[in-house]
Amino acid sequence: MELAYVCEWEKRPKSTHCPSIPLVCSWSCRNLVAFTTDLKSDDDDKDVSHMIHIIDTEHPWDVFSINSGHTEVISCLEWDQSGSRLLSADGDGQIKCWSMSEHLVNSWESVLSSSLDGDPIVALSWLHNGVKLALHVEMSGSTNFGEKFSRVKFSPSLTLFGGKPMEGWLAVTVSGLVTVSLLKPGGALLTASESLCRLRGRVALADIAFTGGGNIVVAATDGSSSSPVQFYKVVVSVVSEKCRIDTELLPSLFLRCTTDPLRREKYLSVTHLKFLTRENSEQVLLCASNQSGSIVECWSLRKEGLPVNNIFQHRSPVVGEKQPTILKWRILTTTNDLERVSAVALPKLPISISNTDLKVASDTKFCPGLGLALAFHDGSIQILHRLSLHTMGVFYGSSSSTSVQRPGDESAIKRQRTGGPALHFKALQFSWTSLALAGVDNHGKLHMLRVSPSMGQVLEMNTTLRHLLFLLEYCMVTGYDWWDVLLHVQPTMVHNLVEKLHEEYMRQNQALQQVLATRIVAVKASLCKLSTATAARACDFHAKLLLMAISSTLKSLLRPHVLNTPDKSPGDRLTEICAKNTDTDIDKVMINLKTEEFVLDGPPLQSLQQLIQWVGDFVLYLLANLPNQGSMVRPGFGFMRDGASLGMLREMLVMIRIWGLLKPGCLPTFTATSDNQDSMQLLFRLLTKLWLCSRDDGPPQDPDESLIDECCLLPSQLLVPSLDWLPVNDGVIVRLQGKHPLRLQFGKASSLPGGGTSTLEVFTRSPGCQKMDNLRCVHMGVCPTEDSKACTRCGCVTMLRSPNKTNAMKQWEQRWIKNCLCGGLWRRIPHSPLS
């Protein structure tokens, strides 16, 4: 475990950021981190604003700070399972739901709220949507994604008509109330409250978990270690358009430390209460503390046989009668006396904990999802095994010590405790693959820590690659962001990871390949940016994403000539005919097509001309650069042997050729040296020859000399465009390859050390160059005046407002309103400074 970067606040003359008490932090599956501070004015200490700060981990300095409007300290933050909405709750009973404004990660607004006036919220959770996966380490070597990541039967907390999960949230208050707010399909909020039990008592700490049957379990304690930890079953239903809450008391427990004569009076208060996972209500973690130390206990709910009195044991048993059973909490394990715990983080990775999976994880030293993190008041963090509570790794918070201390070196731990720094973590959160920890300290600084997949144990390179590949596949299947996995990828690993990922993808069935087609290209692009040797391939993968999107959009415009059509769509028939017809004459290929299926109105074709122009320019660029693809990998190299992509380009040239007969204005424009040059015919002929060398149904061949010679002559026949590839990646991931942590400052991008991994010319931009809208394929000028947004993952830039009026182009833009081509989120970027 080591520090990756620290982001701190700028010193302000009139106001200061200080952590809220309690300070909270939450990490979404889209790698957005939310945390709280209080903003105090120096002029008036009573003037306190309760702030919520949201960052994406790739651009941590670009913080969006919300003056939340909460009147008391914010006690809870909770992301929904899509990572696009955030709940906040405070000490006055107010709950607010925040969502992105215009789908931008640095623009948020409160859309819904509920309130229990004057009743502080101590626990908060979204209702479960019924989706649960299990990650099987035992099957990590399997070729089937369905065996590695299995869908677990799990019921939603509440369903609408047809079994669709109903959205909403549930909260527990300090007075012992449970309140539920349901989002009705029309957008209205349905709210109800109910007491957890008949005898309401003070609830200092609570946590919420879900059962496979759709029930909710609430754990609650009054904060005293001598009092029982109570558990309640909560059932939510809708009856006659009203929300109904039913509660039931479940078995409770007393902490083990209160029954130990040596510790009975030592740890008087319970400071942390957590279910080990939100989908497992049968395992709970408890921490009891005093002013100087803590102790942690792990409990499990088990079904035990109920002993029968001797009077009834001698009677003849009834056929089919079973011994009565009872649910009872049993302690799994407990720690020794620890330094005082300041924060707890539990893993989100849904790793299976069957005996076989745990054994394979132990043998292969696969640790993600098995460790929980404890932060201490001396500034250190310990990773403990979630079942045995044995130490797996230690991080020391001082700036000079950023490495993992393996368990067993007790003397080092004791030495560190004696001179511990004043800085310590007030809030701690694992990423969704448990390979990173986000912590907010008592000065309001955000720390990002790498957590090694093997917890610092030395592994063979193949084993390390297998672990990272396993987690990348998990992200690909679930749609979660893989930024935290990239933290552990070294440049020397990139090529092998890309190849192995492709091999595993090709082993899946055709239906799953279609579902994951764009996602795997996006993962490959993210990996290739981490190494100078593969940076050009990142360009190719981004171009492939755009190519796939344009192809599907153009094909979707085709309509069958008659309604009673066969099973295949016009786009499928186009693909089939182009694959069978190897003729290099584009007009001969057109003869075999039903041209009436390509008849479209003029306005849609004309409005898509900029996308059609990009296709033409891209084909010309690829062919003109074919002779230059030598020892140094240049952009475009990945397409030379990609038969599927070259075939896709052939299909689009055929479509464009037919549309050009109907509407010449939609054709791509080329600057030719001869007036009678048929540019489309020339490009199609050369592209077909290149495609024949890399078809999937035969062994790949090198382009023959005649093709290379013709491509060498291409720049003398047509003016080759200089394609504008994606801008330089301005995020932190390419700068975290070294072991030295970055020191960043909120609100200042200039604080990021310069120099990424790429030295290719295609990534460099002169100050006076044209800015490109990478989605609409149009130039925005040297100093764009329009508001723009950029992808948090790949850096793709596009205008925030649409300049187009036609429906065809608006439909294209609507496809990317929420996410980029690569699946990344959008963030607003400032105007370029005027020259």
Side-chain angles (χ1 to χ4, degrees):
M1 193 169 23
E2 60 188 18
L3 189 63
Y5 64 73
V6 180
C7 211
E8 59 187 3
W9 296 101
E10 180 186 5
K11 301 298 183 185
R12 300 186 182 184
K14 288 293 181 183
S15 59
T16 57
H17 280 279
C18 65
S20 302
I21 307 296
L23 186 144
V24 287
C25 173
S26 188
W27 193 327
S28 82
C29 63
R30 307 298 300 275
N31 273 329
L32 299 178
V33 175
F35 63 101
T36 62
T37 63
D38 288 345
L39 188 63
K40 289 186 178 180
S41 173
D42 287 348
D43 297 335
D44 184 5
D45 287 341
K46 295 181 180 179
D47 184 13
V48 179
S49 300
H50 303 288
M51 309 294 293
I52 299 175
H53 311 285
I54 300 174
I55 62 147
D56 76 277
T57 53
E58 178 71 341
H59 306 87
W61 60 87
D62 189 11
V63 61
F64 184 74
S65 298
I66 310 167
N67 187 345
S68 65
H70 283 291
T71 55
E72 295 291 339
V73 171
I74 298 169
S75 56
C76 301
L77 287 177
E78 191 74 23
W79 290 100
D80 71 347
Q81 288 182 297
S82 69
S84 59
R85 289 179 299 181
L86 177 70
L87 288 177
S88 63
D90 67 11
D92 193 40
Q94 289 186 357
I95 302 173
K96 295 190 176 186
C97 177
W98 304 87
S99 65
M100 295 183 203
S101 174
E102 299 182 289
H103 307 287
L104 300 171
V105 298
N106 52 1
S107 181
W108 293 77
E109 59 185 358
S110 176
V111 290
L112 292 166
S113 64
S114 62
S115 179
L116 288 171
D117 292 339
D119 203 352
I121 306 295
V122 294
L124 181 66
S125 176
W126 289 90
L127 297 181
H128 204 285
N129 62 2
V131 177
K132 182 186 177 184
L133 282 181
L135 185 142
H136 300 280
V137 183
E138 178 193 5
M139 306 303 296
S140 60
S142 171
T143 58
N144 188 348
F145 285 172
E147 295 177 353
K148 295 180 182 181
F149 319 110
S150 65
R151 180 78 179 262
V152 179
K153 188 177 180 181
F154 210 87
S155 298
S157 304
L158 189 62
T159 56
L160 295 165
F161 179 77
K164 181 182 178 182
M166 193 169 189
E167 294 184 317
W169 59 80
L170 176 140
V172 180
T173 72
V174 75
S175 69
L177 276 182
V178 56
T179 178
V180 174
S181 297
L182 304 177
L183 296 173
K184 297 175 72 175
L189 206 59
L190 199 61
T191 303
S193 300
E194 186 62 56
S195 176
L196 280 172
C197 61
R198 291 182 180 179
L199 296 176
R200 284 173 62 181
R202 179 177 180 269
V203 176
L205 297 172
D207 198 23
I208 301 166
F210 302 89
T211 68
N215 296 326
I216 304 165
V217 177
V218 174
T221 175
D222 63 4
S224 171
S225 60
S226 59
S227 300
V229 179
Q230 303 278 8
F231 295 84
Y232 307 91
K233 182 172 79 171
V234 179
V235 181
V236 182
S237 57
V238 176
V239 181
S240 302
E241 294 296 316
K242 292 185 178 181
C243 181
R244 175 177 170 179
I245 304 172
D246 296 300
T247 62
E248 178 185 333
L249 189 63
L250 297 176
S252 57
L253 65 87
F254 282 92
L255 270 73
R256 169 62 62 88
C257 64
T258 60
T259 61
D260 185 347
L262 299 177
R263 296 192 176 105
R264 183 176 299 169
E265 303 296 332
K266 188 172 183 180
Y267 302 108
L268 299 179
S269 60
V270 180
T271 53
H272 297 87
L273 165 63
K274 298 280 186 183
F275 287 107
L276 281 183
T277 65
R278 69 191 297 264
E279 284 107 0
N280 185 357
S281 61
E282 298 178 355
Q283 287 185 334
V284 68
L285 189 81
L286 294 159
C287 175
S289 306
N290 57 25
Q291 290 297 319
S292 59
S294 298
I295 190 168
V296 175
E297 299 178 0
C298 186
W299 290 75
S300 176
L301 185 64
R302 296 178 181 176
K303 188 179 289 186
E304 297 183 357
L306 194 63
V308 181
N309 193 285
N310 293 333
I311 298 174
F312 303 102
Q313 288 184 357
H314 299 294
R315 69 181 178 88
S316 57
V318 180
V319 177
E321 185 181 26
K322 296 181 180 179
Q323 182 185 8
T325 57
I326 188 173
L327 291 173
K328 200 168 186 178
W329 286 99
R330 292 290 185 187
I331 190 163
L332 282 179
T333 185
T334 182
T335 63
N336 294 323
D337 295 337
L338 302 170
E339 180 71 32
R340 190 180 180 196
V341 173
S342 60
V344 177
L346 296 172
K348 298 185 179 76
L349 193 70
I351 187 169
S352 170
I353 54 173
S354 67
N355 292 335
T356 310
D357 284 310
L358 288 175
K359 184 179 186 307
V360 173
S362 176
D363 293 342
T364 59
K365 300 179 175 63
F366 182 86
C367 299
L370 292 177
L372 57 92
L374 300 179
F376 299 97
H377 276 264
D378 64 358
S380 66
I381 298 175
Q382 285 191 34
I383 306 288
L384 307 182
H385 195 284
R386 57 187 277 188
L387 298 179
S388 65
L389 297 184
H390 290 158
T391 304
M392 301 171 72
V394 181
F395 167 81
Y396 299 123
S398 62
S399 58
S400 60
S401 179
T402 57
S403 61
V404 171
Q405 171 66 45
R406 293 298 308 148
D409 190 358
E410 298 294 336
S411 60
I413 296 175
K414 291 178 181 177
R415 285 196 302 272
Q416 185 67 20
R417 284 180 183 173
T418 57
L423 183 144
H424 62 273
F425 293 99
K426 300 287 291 182
L428 209 58
Q429 278 275 309
F430 268 112
S431 67
W432 282 65
T433 62
S434 300
L435 291 187
L437 266 174
V440 184
D441 65 24
N442 52 338
H443 296 157
K445 298 179 185 177
L446 177 71
H447 301 248
M448 186 63 64
L449 293 90
R450 292 187 184 96
V451 181
S452 167
S454 63
M455 285 299 164
Q457 300 174 85
V458 179
L459 298 179
E460 295 180 358
M461 180 58 75
N462 284 338
T463 306
T464 302
L465 289 175
R466 193 162 65 246
H467 289 173
L468 295 175
L469 179 67
F470 190 39
L471 294 170
L472 284 172
E473 291 168 350
Y474 169 73
C475 292
M476 202 164 67
V477 169
T478 58
Y480 296 160
D481 201 289
W482 49 85
W483 180 87
D484 47 336
V485 183
L486 301 182
L487 283 174
H488 302 271
V489 177
Q490 297 301 316
T492 53
M493 302 178 182
V494 170
H495 178 74
N496 287 334
L497 272 177
V498 170
E499 295 302 316
K500 289 179 182 294
L501 191 65
H502 182 74
E503 290 173 10
E504 293 297 321
Y505 169 78
M506 295 304 295
R507 290 171 180 164
Q508 310 309 309
N509 60 58
Q510 196 67 32
L512 186 56
Q513 284 188 28
Q514 288 184 1
V515 171
L516 303 178
T518 56
R519 210 170 281 166
I520 187 175
V521 178
V523 175
K524 290 177 181 178
S526 299
L527 287 169
C528 288
K529 282 190 175 181
L530 301 179
S531 168
T532 52
T534 56
R537 294 189 66 187
C539 290
D540 292 348
F541 288 128
H542 284 294
K544 186 172 182 177
L545 286 170
L546 183 55
L547 175 64
M548 293 164 67
I550 294 176
S551 174
S552 64
T553 298
L554 297 185
K555 284 183 180 179
S556 69
L557 298 175
L558 306 180
R559 293 291 181 268
H561 182 57
V562 290
L563 293 178
N564 54 343
T565 56
D567 294 337
K568 291 183 180 177
S569 67
D572 292 335
R573 283 199 295 277
L574 171 66
T575 302
E576 184 179 357
I577 291 171
C578 288
K580 290 180 179 178
N581 195 326
T582 59
D583 206 305
T584 57
D585 190 330
I586 191 170
D587 295 323
K588 291 182 179 179
V589 177
M590 283 168 48
I591 295 174
N592 298 313
L593 293 169
K594 297 179 181 179
T595 51
E596 61 269 14
E597 294 179 340
F598 292 80
V599 176
L600 297 175
D601 296 330
L605 290 178
Q606 189 63 51
S607 64
L608 294 172
Q609 199 278 333
Q610 60 222 47
L611 302 182
I612 293 172
Q613 182 68 47
W614 183 88
V615 173
D617 289 345
F618 187 69
V619 172
L620 177 55
Y621 177 90
L622 284 182
L623 295 171
N625 279 275
L626 177 61
N628 298 329
Q629 297 293 351
S631 57
M632 182 179 179
V633 177
R634 296 176 180 273
F637 176 81
F639 286 91
M640 299 307 169
R641 293 182 182 273
D642 188 352
S645 296
L646 295 176
M648 204 181 296
L649 287 168
R650 279 185 84 236
E651 297 164 20
M652 283 193 282
L653 288 184
V654 172
M655 275 193 292
I656 294 168
R657 180 75 162 189
I658 297 174
W659 287 337
L661 300 176
L662 305 171
K663 182 74 175 177
C666 75
L667 286 172
T669 304
F670 300 102
T671 305
T673 55
S674 174
D675 292 337
N676 57 359
Q677 174 70 60
D678 188 344
S679 304
M680 290 285 288
Q681 181 72 263
L682 173 63
L683 292 178
F684 185 83
R685 179 167 58 82
L686 297 179
L687 181 63
T688 301
K689 288 183 178 181
L690 180 60
W691 170 68
L692 291 172
C693 298
S694 56
R695 294 180 67 185
D696 295 335
D697 55 358
Q701 304 171 5
D702 290 328
D704 55 29
E705 291 297 327
S706 62
L707 174 59
I708 293 178
D709 290 343
E710 287 189 85
C711 290
C712 285
L713 294 174
L714 202 54
S716 64
Q717 297 170 302
L718 298 171
L719 180 64
V720 180
S722 57
L723 281 189
D724 193 299
W725 302 94
L726 289 180
V728 180
N729 192 315
D730 61 344
V732 297
I733 195 68
V734 295
R735 295 166 173 84
L736 294 175
Q737 302 297 322
K739 297 297 182 183
H740 297 291
L742 298 180
R743 302 287 171 177
L744 309 172
Q745 193 171 94
F746 289 120
K748 284 193 175 181
S750 59
S751 63
L752 188 68
T757 59
S758 175
T759 55
L760 292 178
E761 292 181 4
V762 293
F763 289 100
T764 59
R765 297 289 185 276
S766 61
C769 71
Q770 287 267 355
K771 304 296 189 297
M772 188 76 178
D773 186 318
N774 302 112
L775 270 187
R776 297 181 178 90
C777 303
V778 295
H779 290 284
M780 298 190 295
V782 177
C783 296
T785 56
E786 293 288 328
D787 289 335
S788 300
K789 59 184 180 181
C791 175
T792 57
R793 183 183 289 162
C794 69
C796 172
V797 175
T798 186
M799 285 180 282
L800 191 58
R801 316 278 177 224
S802 172
N804 299 291
K805 304 299 181 184
T806 58
N807 289 332
M809 201 60 198
K810 283 185 177 180
Q811 289 171 3
W812 166 261
E813 293 166 349
Q814 283 296 317
R815 292 185 64 181
W816 320 115
I817 193 72
K818 291 184 179 180
N819 301 98
C820 175
L821 290 160
C822 68
L825 298 170
W826 296 112
R827 68 186 184 100
R828 187 194 296 269
I829 54 177
H831 288 297
S832 302
L834 294 174
S835 55

